[in-house]
């Protein structure tokens, strides 16, 4: 079962994000706290949205998708950028990841969005195989760039 996250879900979303960071071997980079998530997801001007995959028997969350809107200047419409998709290892293979992506695709179709995009680590072969089985294709001609920390501060201050 997939459901839209509520403010009461912030602690479990935070936990799932920490689990994802550990899986991606980047625990030290996951610095967001629960209050930041609460503000981003449910504040006065939400910047992101989340859905939870819930185990049918226990009712416990076993995965999540956290996303935000992007915009295509070429197509002239919004799309969804999937920031995080994670299903706990013990729940993988149960259709939760597919159900989360199906819900996001449904939102795209319903709202007239023309793209659902995300990034995947090059070493995550199980995820890549899963995404390709759904019809997703890598965008090999693009390379992701990122400014953070000191480089971002330097550029932002004109240095």
């Amino acid at each position: 079962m997939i459901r839209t996250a509520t403010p009461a879900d912030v602690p479990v979303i935070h936990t799932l994000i920490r689990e994802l960071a550990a899986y991606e071997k980047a625990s030290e980079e996951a610095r967001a706290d629960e209050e930041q998530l609460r503000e981003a997801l449910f504040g006065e001007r939400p910047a992101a949205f989340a859905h939870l995959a819930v185990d049918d028997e226990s009712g416990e969350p076993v995965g999540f998708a956290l996303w935000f809107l992007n915009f295509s200047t070429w197509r002239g419409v919004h799309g969804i950028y999937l920031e995080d998709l994670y299903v706990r290892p013990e729940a993988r293979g149960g259709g939760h990841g597919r159900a989360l992506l199906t819900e996001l695709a449904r939102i795209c179709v319903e709202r007239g969005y023309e793209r659902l995009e995300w990034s995947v680590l090059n070493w995550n072969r199980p995820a890549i195989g899963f995404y390709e089985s759904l019809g997703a294709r890598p965008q090999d001609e693009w390379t992701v760039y990122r400014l953070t920390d000191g480089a971002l501060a330097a550029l932002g201050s004109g240095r």
Side-chain angles (χ1 to χ4, degrees):
M1 178 179 94
I2 304 302
R3 66 175 176 78
T4 302
T6 69
D9 294 316
V10 168
V12 74
I13 293 169
H14 186 254
T15 297
L16 291 166
I17 289 169
R18 304 284 303 160
E19 290 176 21
L20 171 61
Y23 175 76
E24 292 185 350
K25 302 169 182 70
S27 293
E28 68 286 348
E29 294 179 41
R31 300 185 303 223
D33 61 34
E34 288 183 21
E35 190 51 43
Q36 289 171 307
L37 289 174
R38 187 176 328 284
E39 182 63 26
L41 294 168
F42 305 105
E44 189 175 314
R45 296 181 62 204
F49 308 92
H51 286 79
L52 293 172
V54 179
D55 181 80
D56 291 333
E57 292 180 21
S58 70
E60 293 297 313
V62 295
F64 80 110
L66 194 142
W67 56 277
F68 54 88
L69 294 179
N70 59 17
F71 185 80
S72 170
T73 56
W74 289 20
R75 296 197 174 205
V77 296
H78 283 290
I80 286 178
Y81 186 84
L82 175 60
E83 178 66 21
D84 286 331
L85 175 73
Y86 176 74
V87 175
R88 287 181 162 149
E90 64 273 15
R92 292 182 189 153
H96 302 293
R98 182 183 182 94
L100 285 162
L101 286 169
T102 297
E103 177 61 11
L104 297 187
R106 185 196 66 74
I107 291 168
C108 285
V109 170
E110 177 183 276
R111 298 181 186 177
Y113 303 162
E114 295 190 14
R115 290 182 178 166
L116 173 55
E117 297 179 315
W118 62 91
S119 297
V120 61
L121 291 166
N122 292 332
W123 58 259
N124 195 344
R125 298 306 309 165
I128 291 167
F130 167 63
Y131 298 144
E132 289 180 352
S133 77
L134 298 175
R137 296 293 169 250
Q139 301 299 299
D140 294 335
E141 66 275 12
W142 294 90
T143 299
V144 175
Y145 281 84
R146 178 177 297 155
L147 281 171
T148 62
D149 304 323
L152 178 62
L155 184 61
S157 66
R159 289 185 269 146

